Amino acid sequence: MTSPTRILARGLDVFEKHKPRILLDLGCGAGSETPILAASLGARIIAVDHDTAALAAAPPNPNIFYVRADATRLPFAESTIDACYSFGLLQELGQNGDAPLRMLTRELDRVMEKSGVAILGTIANFRSTSSAYRSLTGAEVSKVLRGHMVLQELIGLMDIDNDGQQTRYWYISATPTNHTE
């Protein structure tokens, strides 16, 4: 298991205050951070991704249950998830406009406990015009959260070197409103 990044460590501090029993790792891919979440929190992790090949490559762990599903139509009952972590899913969904992002926040609001918390990380690479992903501004994220999630805090910024290119990400914590449309 690798060590958590500085920002993930800050997110783990936020999660610790909420003492989640069940945490959703949404858009987990091959589960690179999922074992860190499981080991650090002692929670059961439900790791969700739409990519079958990525899930097949994810490391086995008795505290992690991998699920192939669409993040905008989660296969969970209302108010069953204590916390959610998602790194990179917003920019993936944001490529197709705001509608998928609104569907995601509606689903998080539906499946999360009222006292739950979500930590969402997304690309904020406004210096690059060649990025394959849509960088989301704070105003855009606030817009898609409206009515479903309440922004609590900016957890931090992180610059990652990807093949010699600096990419900036930012992380927020938000809580559900538990209102359905």
Side-chain angles (χ1 to χ4, degrees), residues 44-107:
R44 300 279 296 169
I45 309 295
I46 301 173
V48 174
D49 204 283
H50 67 92
D51 186 334
T52 304
L55 291 171
N61 183 308
N63 291 320
I64 302 171
F65 181 66
Y66 292 98
V67 176
R68 184 180 179 280
D70 180 342
T72 64
R73 292 187 303 264
L74 294 169
F76 309 117
E78 291 182 16
S79 302
T80 54
I81 305 295
D82 300 315
C84 175
Y85 173 77
S86 182
F87 174 73
L89 184 59
L90 293 179
Q91 72 248 20
E92 286 276 342
L93 292 177
Q95 292 179 23
N96 298 314
D98 287 350
L101 295 169
R102 295 282 300 156
M103 292 168 64
L104 170 69
T105 57
R106 183 192 68 228
E107 277 297 273

Side-chain angles (χ1 to χ4, degrees), residues 106-123:
R106 183 192 68 228
E107 277 297 273
L108 288 178
D109 188 33
R110 183 183 68 79
V111 302
M112 289 183 67
E113 292 279 346
K114 180 86 174 150
S115 62
V117 64
I119 295 177
L120 308 172
T122 190
I123 196 167

Side-chain angles (χ1 to χ4, degrees), residues 5-8 87 156-160 167-171:
T5 63
R6 180 179 48 81
I7 297 296
L8 179 54
F87 174 73
L157 297 170
M158 179 174 65
D159 291 320
I160 297 176
T167 303
R168 174 161 282 179
Y169 294 87
W170 54 266
Y171 288 76

